[in-house]
Amino acid sequence: MNIFRYLRISALLFFLSVSTMVAAHALTLEGGLALGRPLMPSTLPESSPPDSTITPSAAPNEIRITGVGNGSMPWTIIVLLTFLTLIPSLLLCMTPFARLLVVFHFLRQALGLQTTPTNQTLIGLALVLTFFLMQPVGAEIYQTSVLPLQNGRIGAMQAVERGAKPVQQYMLHFVREKDVALFVELSKQPRPRTPEDLPMRVVAPAYVLSELKTGFQIGTVLFLPFLAIDMIVASISTSVGMLQLPPVVISTPLKLLLFVMVDGWNLLIGSLMRSFY
């Protein structure tokens, strides 16, 4: 019973304290209104000429956000969010990222390694090399598209058209004529006079096919020496009667030793980067 009594007393004291705070706050508000003091500082001037246009002055802590190219903020947010969702597709379709990643996965399989290097490491390396290769294209897009859009000289659609030209020129440099002909036929478009007349909906998928083919070609050539080591180790271990020990246990250290001795990463990255010039 004492516990319930203490609980009731505590609840009553809490209720009284809250009521006192509310009453004090109400009295403060009434006193301020009675004395004519404003509750919040006004941002408008106290007096202005009768014929002048009244414009509210900006508060010291006010933050104003304007859209890119003097555009409205909601449309700018929509465009930016749409671009962020399309970044993975753009990386795969319009950059050398696909070729680099395919070659790196072929290398890991050829060495007989399952999780070393990890997927995050290979993707990060491919992203860094992609940024290195696409930096001139990005600088051209910034000069011809982003800067005029920020200065308000062109609209958003004109900026997209200008920005697509350098990317299209880059893709046309590596695309195969056979793949372009395939998608021109599938799109049922007339044969263009020059490669520059090709639309982006034809160039982008043709570029992806060309990059995948090139990546598989490089990966196959990279796979052959390690496959030869596997065959030699398997034949030797079988001939000497080591049937209880899998050949991959012996061949994997040999392949790693060979790859380290010839400075394989330097040779691989150098060959890959030269294939884009």
Side-chain angles (χ1 to χ4, degrees), residues 15-241:
F15 177 77
L16 291 175
S17 61
V18 172
S19 301
T20 304
M21 293 174 60
V22 172
H25 183 65
L27 289 175
T28 304
L29 293 178
E30 291 177 359
L33 293 175
L35 294 175
R37 294 193 300 267
L39 296 180
M40 295 181 62
S42 176
T43 58
L44 294 175
E46 295 181 357
S47 62
S48 59
D51 296 334
S52 63
T53 303
I54 299 175
T55 56
S57 61
N61 297 328
E62 182 179 0
I63 299 175
R64 294 183 179 181
I65 301 175
T66 57
V68 178
N70 297 327
S72 61
M73 192 59 194
W75 283 107
T76 304
I77 294 175
I78 291 174
V79 171
L80 290 177
L81 291 178
T82 304
F83 179 73
L84 289 177
T85 57
L86 293 177
I87 283 179
S89 300
L90 295 177
L91 283 174
L92 291 176
C93 298
M94 301 180 182
T95 64
F97 181 79
R99 183 196 301 191
L100 297 172
L101 198 59
V102 167
V103 173
F104 291 154
H105 279 284
F106 264 100
L107 174 65
R108 189 171 65 178
Q109 294 294 326
L111 289 173
L113 305 174
Q114 300 299 325
T115 58
T116 304
T118 60
N119 291 330
Q120 290 82 0
T121 304
L122 296 180
I123 292 173
L125 180 58
L127 283 175
V128 171
L129 296 179
T130 300
F131 176 78
F132 180 84
L133 292 170
M134 296 297 293
Q135 193 273 334
V137 180
E140 185 177 356
I141 293 174
Y142 182 78
Q143 293 294 331
T144 59
S145 176
V146 178
L147 279 181
L149 178 62
Q150 289 180 346
N151 297 330
R153 297 197 299 266
I154 60 175
M157 295 305 299
Q158 293 179 346
V160 172
E161 293 177 359
R162 289 189 180 185
K165 291 296 182 181
V167 180
Q168 186 174 3
Q169 291 294 329
Y170 171 82
M171 291 191 293
L172 288 174
H173 185 71
F174 298 102
V175 74
R176 296 189 308 164
E177 184 178 355
K178 183 178 181 181
D179 296 329
V180 174
L182 171 63
F183 283 98
V184 168
E185 180 183 357
L186 293 176
S187 61
K188 301 185 184 303
Q189 293 184 354
R191 185 180 180 88
R193 295 181 180 179
T194 60
E196 287 74 14
D197 297 334
L198 290 169
M200 187 64 73
R201 64 185 293 259
V202 172
V203 177
Y207 174 77
V208 173
L209 286 185
S210 301
E211 287 295 288
L212 289 177
K213 179 178 175 60
T214 305
F216 271 80
Q217 288 176 344
I218 298 174
T220 302
V221 175
L222 186 65
F223 211 103
L224 290 178
F226 299 106
L227 180 62
I229 294 176
D230 287 332
M231 295 176 62
I232 293 173
V233 171
S235 61
I236 293 176
S237 61
T238 303
S239 62
V240 298

